[in-house]
Amino acid sequence: MMNLRAIEILDDFVSLFFPRYCLACSGPLAKGEDLVCTNCIVEMPQTDDHVVADNALFSRLSFRIPIAHAMALFKFNKSGRVQQLLHQLKYKNHPEIGVMLGRVYGEKLVQANLASAFDIILPVPLHPSRKRKRGYNQSAKFAEGLSEKLGISFSDNVLVRQRKTETQTRKSKLNRWENMADVFRIVDQQQIVGKRILLVDDVITTGATIETCGHLLLGAGCASVSLACIAET
């Protein structure tokens, strides 16, 4: 069995010939860094949504759906580090990014005394065909990391997507609603009745997806709905 020093030497050797790169900026990772370099962690635009209840995201969505909390880890900037990191998460087979970001934000929520504000975490689901192609639901990976830090269970089989949808970004408000009609359904209502739900997604853009899921959950008898995402536009 190798001792600790031997393992360190082997790690240094592997890093020399097979350097690891930051998934946000593509720069080399220093020893002790994992997935994202320290500089990117500092430079990426984090929000204070978890400590400011009446934040911009809450103000934008609360008049459309009665929500308890609305929070984003990052502010989305086009062509920035956050976009690059999300691209790696969604399209480059790096589900570990979602888990890592969930842990990061989960720790922030714990520090903000929000760990006891929710009973169950539900990710916005992918259509089964898209999930098979990607291999995972990136929002479920974010939920997994949050669950670990908050000590709250998460489930990716309560809320399901039964119809594919087109992109929302260039649609009018009416067309967004029509695009989302009958997209989701609840499989096991008993898991959410009377529960305070933390509904999570990777990115909130128009808010139509979150709005649709939230109204469905509230109509099924949950006590409240809160929102959390990796990034908001």
Side-chain angles (χ1 to χ4, degrees):
M1 187 174 181
M2 290 190 295
N3 59 35
L4 182 59
R5 179 56 183 162
I7 293 174
E8 289 177 348
I9 292 172
L10 179 60
D11 285 343
D12 290 342
F13 178 82
V14 171
S15 297
L16 179 63
F17 290 96
F18 302 98
R20 298 177 304 124
Y21 293 94
C22 172
L23 296 176
C25 71
S26 300
L29 289 173
K31 189 173 182 179
E33 294 179 336
D34 186 33
L35 300 178
V36 181
C37 69
T38 302
N39 185 59
C40 280
I41 291 174
V42 172
E43 293 294 328
M44 286 191 292
Q46 298 189 34
T47 79
D48 57 1
D49 289 352
H50 54 289
V51 294
V52 179
D54 190 17
N55 56 64
L57 183 61
F58 181 86
S59 297
R60 180 155 65 98
L61 297 177
S62 59
F63 76 96
R64 294 159 56 182
I65 178 174
I67 49 178
H69 304 276
M71 305 166 290
L73 173 57
F74 297 118
K75 187 70 179 177
F76 184 91
N77 290 328
K78 193 171 183 180
S79 301
R81 289 180 172 92
V82 174
Q83 184 182 41
Q84 174 63 19
L85 195 60
L86 287 169
H87 183 80
Q88 293 286 337
L89 168 62
K90 294 177 69 171
Y91 305 115
K92 297 298 183 180
N93 195 31
H94 285 291
E96 67 275 17
I97 293 174
V99 179
M100 180 268 290
L101 293 176
R103 290 170 180 158
V104 168
Y105 207 34
E107 186 63 35
K108 288 180 178 291
L109 298 184
V110 169
Q111 293 172 3
N113 297 317
L114 287 171
S116 61
F118 321 110
D119 299 312
I120 187 172
I121 305 170
L122 301 182
V124 170
L126 285 179
H127 188 270
S129 63
R130 188 165 294 171
K131 185 177 179 181
R132 282 194 300 270
K133 182 178 180 180
R134 187 169 296 166
Y136 54 91
N137 175 1
Q138 69 277 1
S139 297
K141 292 300 177 181
F142 184 52
E144 181 181 335
L146 285 167
S147 172
E148 180 181 322
K149 287 295 183 178
L150 294 174
I152 302 167
S153 64
F154 84 96
S155 175
D156 61 355
N157 56 21
V158 172
L159 186 64
V160 300
R161 186 184 292 255
Q162 58 188 0
R163 180 171 66 80
K164 282 186 177 180
T165 55
E166 301 172 358
T167 182
Q168 300 279 77
T169 53
R170 296 180 181 177
K171 293 181 179 292
S172 67
K173 185 174 182 179
L174 176 60
N175 287 337
R176 290 171 195 165
W177 270 104
E178 292 173 344
N179 193 41
M180 298 306 298
D182 301 320
V183 171
F184 304 100
R185 67 183 177 90
I186 295 170
V187 174
D188 187 355
Q189 186 174 349
Q190 290 306 309
Q191 286 200 51
I192 65 168
V193 171
K195 299 293 180 64
R196 299 167 300 168
I197 294 174
L198 180 60
L199 180 64
V200 304
D201 205 356
D202 56 344
V203 182
I204 293 180
T205 51
T206 66
T209 299
I210 285 288
E211 186 178 0
T212 302
C213 290
H215 279 297
L216 182 63
L217 293 167
L218 289 167
C222 73
S224 65
V225 171
S226 295
L227 314 173
C229 63
I230 298 173
E232 63 147 324
T233 60

